[in-house]
Amino acid sequence: IVNDAGYSGGVRTSQGIQLYNISNTNVTGNNISGGAVNGIYLQYSTNNNLSNNQINVTGAYGMYIIASSSSNTLQNNNITASGNNVYGIYLYLGSNSNNITGNNITTNGTSGYGIFLDGGGGAGNINNTLSNNIITTKGSASYGIYVFANSNSNNISSNTITTDNINAYGIY
């Protein structure tokens, strides 16, 4: 159990679990809640298995996958992100060939994103598989799956997406 992680002088500053330049590691069965900025954070990390984790964050990212973190499996996680500008799973900067399957993701609040593929910053996110996820967004300007700039050749199939408010989109 990782609870109330990451406070420094009243400001959230750290990750519930962080893998930096790590490969072939299992992160399974964890319960992450409270003060972490990101529930699980991967940077420059490949071939990892993130599964069966319970993540509950406020005003942050459930899973933040960044900077060439590729060929990871994100499977059967329960993620709740509450507040404004929150993300269930966020892929950024060349995070390719990840398998995101069977996750249950809920966002509550304005500008909530279930899964966000952000190919901005010059490095796209390609060849990711998003399938059999259950995504619920509650709040205005919310998105089940958001695919942005240079996020090409991804397979998005068999997801169940429920949106509940104005200006909400299943897949954008």
Side-chain angles (χ1 to χ4, degrees):
I1 296 175
V2 179
N3 191 16
D4 293 327
Y7 283 96
S8 174
V11 177
R12 294 176 299 143
T13 59
S14 69
Q15 326 308 328
I17 296 173
Q18 178 174 340
L19 302 181
Y20 183 89
N21 199 23
I22 300 295
S23 296
N24 304 309
T25 298
N26 291 317
V27 178
T28 60
N30 297 286
N31 184 337
I32 302 166
S33 62
V37 174
N38 306 303
I40 298 177
Y41 179 89
L42 269 65
Q43 186 171 6
Y44 303 113
S45 296
T46 59
N47 297 310
N48 297 292
N49 175 30
L50 314 176
S51 62
N52 300 308
N53 297 289
Q54 303 288 325
I55 301 170
N56 189 337
V57 294
T58 301
Y61 302 82
M63 292 185 170
Y64 195 148
I65 314 300
I66 184 171
S68 302
S69 290
S70 298
S71 301
N72 296 292
T73 298
L74 289 65
Q75 184 172 358
N76 298 329
N77 298 287
N78 288 311
I79 301 169
T80 301
S82 302
N84 296 329
N85 299 309
V86 294
Y87 304 82
I89 297 174
Y90 184 83
L91 272 69
Y92 186 53
L93 288 175
S95 294
N96 303 319
S97 302
N98 292 290
N99 184 15
I100 302 171
T101 306
N103 298 287
N104 188 341
I105 302 167
T106 302
T107 65
N108 298 298
T110 303
S111 298
Y113 302 86
I115 300 174
F116 193 121
L117 300 180
D118 188 349
N125 295 313
I126 60 171
N127 296 325
N128 294 291
T129 299
L130 286 62
S131 66
N132 297 309
N133 297 290
I134 299 171
I135 302 169
T136 304
T137 63
K138 300 175 183 177
S140 62
S142 294
Y143 306 84
I145 297 173
Y146 193 104
V147 181
F148 183 71
N150 300 315
S151 292
N152 302 312
S153 301
N154 294 291
N155 178 13
I156 301 171
S157 63
S158 301
N159 297 285
T160 302
I161 302 170
T162 304
T163 60
D164 180 17
N165 214 311
I166 59 171
N167 298 322
Y169 303 90
I171 298 175
Y172 186 88

